[in-house]
DNA sequence: TTACAAGTTAGAGTTTACTCTAGGTCAAGA
DNA sequence: TCTTGACCTAGAGTAAACTCTAACTTGTAA
């Protein structure tokens, strides 16, 4: 698919996608004869995974690390797994932290509600 | 307490704390005769709340909005409550999203584990 | 009294992740 | 043929949130 469709499907702007390619997050993107990028469903899956990692707070630099291991093939599976496990653990504690913050917020809101009638 | 102690207790650097004062997040900080800042336990509580909002993803600009309402006194309670409620709802959906990402990560890690012996 | 640790200001610099601009190519439709 | 729309590159600009620097003052301890 062309840039327009890929951009629409990934919800990332063409600018951002070119930027991701530039920093090495997207590699081996096909080009058609006129030099335009041509994306595949594999690319779609990979960008979806990038977005997942981003939305869980992983900085692009770490995603790039994972991406580089991926490019080296199967032999890096163990390292990649370790990276994901680390990230999962961080995510877990962040979620726990956020749940605590949520109940603290609820308490504060409750306090405002009670004071409304006073 | 002085800057050093306040910095230690809030876990924010002196630089960051001065920055927060500069942008208006911390107002009416007392000064001692020599011009040094002198913080109170009230300040400690307020910074703790700032950190809570920050850790739940609220940008400083929105925290500043809340802060400005707070400075206007009781009459802004309703507005402040609405702001917090909005934020709580956002936080809730973010947590839900993260929980989904977490299980997707688990699945991916599981996949690596299965492939280890193959 | 002199050195040191802690504080001050204004303003410059940094990092991350985009986001935009300028100047160009190319294919299809009116 | 001319315009329109999509694409390209290199590189500049932006926003958020710090983080650091330079130049200075002040209080205490040796």
């Amino acid at each position: 698919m062309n840039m327009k469709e890929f951009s629409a499907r990934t919800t990332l702007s063409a600018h951002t996608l070119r930027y991701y390619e530039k920093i090495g997050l997207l590699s081996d993107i096909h080009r058609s004869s006129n030099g335009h990028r041509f994306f595949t469903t594999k690319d779609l899956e990979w960008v979806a995974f990038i977005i997942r990692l981003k939305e869980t707070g992983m900085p692009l630099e770490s995603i790039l690390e994972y991406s580089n291991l991926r490019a080296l093939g199967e032999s890096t599976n163990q390292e990649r797994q370790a990276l994901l496990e680390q990230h999962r653990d961080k995510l877990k504690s962040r979620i726990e932290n956020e749940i605590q913050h949520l109940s603290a917020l609820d308490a504060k809101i409750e306090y405002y509600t009670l004071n409304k009638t006073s």
Side-chain angles (χ1 to χ4, degrees), chain A residues 34-104:
Chain A
N34 56 6
H36 290 199
R37 289 171 186 81
F38 184 81
F39 299 93
T40 67
T41 39
K42 282 267 166 207
D43 298 326
L44 216 45
E45 283 165 30
W46 173 232
V47 169
F49 190 61
I50 289 175
I51 290 173
R52 191 184 289 294
L53 292 177
K54 254 199 342 154
E55 289 197 351
T56 52
M58 190 185 276
L60 292 188
E61 204 181 325
S62 310
I63 302 177
L64 189 54
E65 240 179 274
Y66 180 90
S67 170
N68 289 338
L69 290 174
R70 202 178 83 113
L72 292 174
E74 297 266 313
S75 66
T76 64
N77 275 2
Q78 216 178 322
E79 247 182 294
R80 274 186 272 166
Q81 183 180 355
L83 225 153
L84 290 189
E85 277 170 356
Q86 252 181 47
H87 183 59
R88 178 198 46 195
D89 294 348
K90 264 191 220 161
L91 178 57
K92 248 187 197 162
S93 35
R94 186 144 42 80
I95 291 173
E96 277 159 25
N97 193 238
E98 283 173 348
I99 286 172
Q100 283 193 359
H101 285 321
L102 183 62
S103 71

